[in-house]
Amino acid sequence: MRKKIVAGNWKMNKNLSEGLSLIESIKAGLANGQGAGVEVIVAPSYVTLTEAVKAAAGSAVKISAQNCHQEENGAYTGEISTGMIQAIGVEYVIIGHSERRQYFNESSASIAKKINASLAKGLKPIYCNGEVKEEREAGKHFEVVQRQMNDELFHLSAEEVKKVVIAYEPVWAIGTGLTASPDQAQEIHAFIRKLLSDKYSAAVAEEISILYGGSCKPDNAVEIFGKKDVDGGLIGGAALKAEDFLALVASF
Ligand code: 13P
């Protein structure tokens, strides 16, 4: 059965002490009973990960990295391998975020390799895809998402793909205040699930959580998360305040 998930992508926000204090506030809210039955994930910066894992230990909060490198080790100055991430006890890793595609020229080929490198170390990828504004306006969003999944995900076996969480994040909705309407989200999430079903099987497709991301906030989450094929959210701005993040966790 697919999990309900709310994941906070902190991006390049929160230093170590700010991050740890946010984790403490989230833990306190969850201990009060908010978010029962929801997988709660936070993705701090690399420099906070080790302490974040310690802070989250024994609580319902899971820790994710925001990126990784595809090679195991070597002369890649400034990069971090999946082995390093796994060795400190991190469970998830975000791969293929549109900001990495846009600002760091991440290609489909490197995204596919990063997914493989993560699975090889037992990390669970949170794989992001989604179209830019021009593609949505031209009605090409289905085509774009299908191509991304073909090139980046569909080389996996059924057993492997079941370990992946998919985050559909329309680029035009990220950090803009524009959100996909609940119906727009449902339409493309259902399309993504159909692609998974056609490629693998209906049973496999039913096990994979598909999250929505893009200006998801406490005031729009209930409607979006209420849609049949939306299993939760990958949250940017609203994940930086414990109160908002906890409200999102309670939005199912
Ligand atoms: P916002 O929620 O700030 O739009 O960001 C979404 C996102 O990119 C999460 O990965």
Side-chain angles (χ1 to χ4, degrees), residues 9 11 97 99 169 173-175 214-216 234-237:
N9 174 11
K11 309 190 180 184
H97 193 281
E99 287 150 16
E169 298 205 314
I174 295 178
S215 298
C216 195
L234 180 57
I235 317 297

Side-chain angles (χ1 to χ4, degrees), residues 33-107:
Q34 272 168 280
V38 179
E39 180 102 328
V40 178
I41 305 169
V42 298
S45 79
Y46 281 141
V47 294
T48 300
L49 284 178
T50 304
E51 292 302 319
V53 168
K54 290 184 200 159
S59 81
V61 179
K62 315 273 186 189
I63 304 297
S64 175
Q66 296 179 16
N67 180 34
C68 60
H69 194 267
Q70 61 268 30
E71 299 301 332
E72 274 204 60
N73 46 49
Y76 301 101
T77 301
E79 292 295 326
I80 309 245
S81 72
T82 52
M84 293 170 186
I85 296 168
Q86 181 265 341
I88 56 169
V90 168
E91 248 186 90
Y92 286 90
V93 54
I94 297 172
I95 294 176
H97 193 281
S98 62
E99 287 150 16
R100 299 230 37 104
R101 295 174 191 255
Q102 187 181 348
Y103 305 132
F104 303 97
N105 297 322
E106 264 191 25
S107 65

Side-chain angles (χ1 to χ4, degrees), residues 114-180:
K114 287 179 180 203
I115 292 176
N116 296 344
S118 304
L119 291 171
K121 295 294 176 192
L123 293 169
K124 299 175 201 157
I126 301 174
Y127 160 69
C128 306
N129 62 24
E131 79 287 352
V132 300
K133 185 162 162 273
E134 295 72 28
E135 292 164 338
R136 168 66 66 163
E137 284 169 357
K140 292 194 169 148
H141 41 296
F142 295 112
E143 200 182 299
V144 169
V145 166
Q146 181 163 15
R147 182 184 48 70
Q148 289 170 328
M149 290 180 64
N150 273 329
D151 294 351
E152 298 161 2
L153 198 67
F154 282 172
H155 60 284
L156 298 180
S157 69
E159 279 317 300
E160 289 168 335
V161 81
K162 283 198 272 185
K163 297 177 183 137
V164 176
V165 173
I166 297 177
Y168 167 69
E169 298 205 314
V171 182
W172 49 271
I174 295 178
T176 58
L178 297 172
T179 319

